[in-house]
Amino acid sequence: MQITRHILHWLLCLLPIAAMAQAPASDASNASVADGSPEALHEELSARMTQYIDELNELSSVSDVQVMFSNTLPLSKQYINVLKDKVNLLEERYNSISLRWTTFSQAMQVDIADDEELMNLMTNVEEVKKAVGDSIASKKEKCNALQDFADAEHMLAGQDTIYKRLYEKAFRLSLIQKLAPQLEKLKAREQAQYAEIQQSYQKAQQACELLPILKKRIGTLDDSFSNIQMISKKIQETEYKPFIQRIKDYLIGFACAAILLLFFNMLTSKMKAIKTARQQAKKYEEMMRQNGNGPGGYPTI
């Protein structure tokens, strides 16, 4: 089955090449074998250029039908390779048409230049050719973007666990001064690994901008990368400290946390007291109004 697919692929590749080898000569020769009258030559060249426009439009339609990007299919290696194969075949066919058109237009440029209507038609061919070429190039770029995104998902998968183990190892090495060289080597390896992860993640972000259908999947990558980034920073900040210094740092950190907690509690209590005072003042004001002679009045003796 795989051999048959490869044979079919090569046959499809050879067809445009065979057509490319034969078409330029036939285009130029058929145009030149007209009966010699300006009207006949005009009709012949016009028909040829219209044929190129039809071929390009057909290629554009086939391209839109065969290459569609869906957010429901998994980004498997097989799915991406199928899309790439389709785009490559479309690109080969486009290059064949483009080469035949270049050969034809250059051979007939003198006759085309003498006819304003043919010049306008030639401009139309160039515009359609550029539009189709840009469309195929865009699809190729999107296929590469899908590949980058899939690679990023594969790279970041499971990195949370790996980085937690790296940090645990870095912390153990930091407990003994003699192991400081090993700690520095570990930090250097982690820094290189993080650079690769960051580069892959940035490519995934660019792919998401190019393909909005990936926005539903980027959230998972964002969370994974943020966690990796946090642990990476902790690993790089890990260094040997005497035991007493570690105790002091812990106590200072604990004291800072206690002070912040105390301040927060005081602020909360003060806000509650202010709220209670306002409620009591409001109740007292309402009571005074009810005992008065009317709105805004005061009680009489």
Side-chain angles (χ1 to χ4, degrees):
M1 187 69 180
Q2 189 70 17
I3 297 176
T4 306
R5 181 183 177 186
H6 284 297
I7 294 174
L8 179 59
H9 173 75
W10 282 109
L11 288 175
L12 291 174
C13 292
L14 290 174
L15 287 176
I17 298 175
M20 179 182 65
Q22 297 176 0
S26 62
D27 285 348
S29 60
N30 289 339
S32 62
V33 296
D35 60 7
S37 65
E39 294 79 8
L41 181 60
H42 172 90
E43 293 298 329
E44 179 69 19
L45 295 179
S46 178
R48 293 294 178 186
M49 285 191 269
T50 302
Q51 182 179 355
Y52 280 112
I53 293 177
D54 293 340
E55 285 189 59
L56 290 167
N57 286 330
E58 179 186 358
L59 180 60
S60 177
S61 299
V62 172
S63 173
D64 292 338
V65 171
Q66 289 189 353
V67 183
M68 291 186 295
F69 300 93
S70 172
N71 59 352
T72 58
L73 296 175
L75 294 184
S76 63
K77 185 177 180 180
Q78 182 180 5
Y79 169 67
I80 296 175
N81 286 338
V82 168
L83 285 179
K84 284 186 173 182
D85 289 343
K86 290 180 179 180
V87 172
N88 288 336
L89 289 175
L90 292 169
E91 187 179 35
E92 289 174 5
R93 184 178 172 187
Y94 171 80
N95 291 335
S96 173
I97 296 173
S98 180
L99 181 57
R100 287 192 288 113
W101 163 251
T102 300
T103 304
F104 167 78
S105 59
Q106 288 180 353
M108 300 291 107
Q109 60 181 343
V110 175
D111 297 309
I112 295 174
D114 291 337
D115 192 316
E116 183 178 357
E117 184 178 346
L118 292 178
M119 284 294 295
N120 293 333
L121 192 55
M122 182 178 181
T123 301
N124 292 338
V125 177
E126 292 290 348
E127 290 176 352
V128 174
K129 185 168 76 71
K130 184 180 184 306
V132 176
D134 291 345
S135 177
I136 294 177
S138 175
K139 287 179 172 61
K140 189 172 184 178
E141 185 181 8
K142 289 178 180 179
C143 285
N144 293 333
L146 277 181
Q147 184 68 65
D148 291 338
F149 195 92
D151 291 342
E153 284 188 327
H154 179 73
M155 175 173 285
L156 269 71
Q159 287 292 335
D160 291 350
T161 303
I162 294 174
Y163 261 74
K164 287 179 181 177
R165 291 175 181 173
L166 280 175
Y167 176 68
E168 291 173 357
K169 185 176 181 180
F171 181 78
R172 289 196 300 269
L173 293 175
S174 69
L175 296 176
I176 303 175
Q177 188 174 9
K178 292 182 179 180
L179 298 179
Q182 297 185 29
L183 175 61
E184 293 304 317
K185 290 181 180 180
L186 182 146
K187 290 163 71 173
R189 291 197 303 270
E190 185 281 326
Q191 195 170 21
Q193 182 176 349
Y194 175 77
E196 293 181 1
I197 293 173
Q198 185 179 35
Q199 183 180 11
S200 182
Y201 172 69
Q202 289 174 347
K203 288 183 178 180
Q205 287 181 312
Q206 295 172 359
C208 187
E209 293 176 359
L210 188 63
L211 282 167
I213 60 174
L214 296 174
K215 289 184 178 180
K216 294 182 179 180
R217 307 171 67 106
I218 194 68
T220 304
L221 289 182
D222 290 338
D223 294 340
S224 297
F225 181 76
S226 296
N227 192 34
I228 291 171
Q229 189 178 42
M230 179 185 64
I231 300 176
S232 175
K233 184 178 180 181
K234 292 173 66 176
I235 292 173
Q236 293 301 319
E237 291 176 350
T238 303
E239 59 183 6
Y240 169 75
K241 288 183 181 180
F243 181 74
I244 296 178
Q245 183 63 40
R246 291 180 183 272
I247 296 297
K248 288 172 63 178
D249 292 344
Y250 173 77
L251 292 176
I252 291 173
F254 180 79
C256 291
I259 292 172
L260 289 174
L261 182 61
L262 179 62
F263 174 77
F264 178 77
N265 290 334
M266 290 176 60
L267 183 62
T268 303
S269 299
K270 189 173 182 179
M271 294 296 295
K272 288 182 178 179
I274 293 173
K275 185 178 180 181
T276 302
R278 287 180 177 176
Q279 290 177 350
Q280 290 178 349
K282 187 176 180 181
K283 289 181 180 179
Y284 179 77
E285 183 180 357
E286 291 178 353
M287 182 185 68
M288 294 294 292
R289 288 180 179 178
Q290 289 176 0
N291 294 332
N293 295 326
Y298 296 94
T300 58
I301 298 176

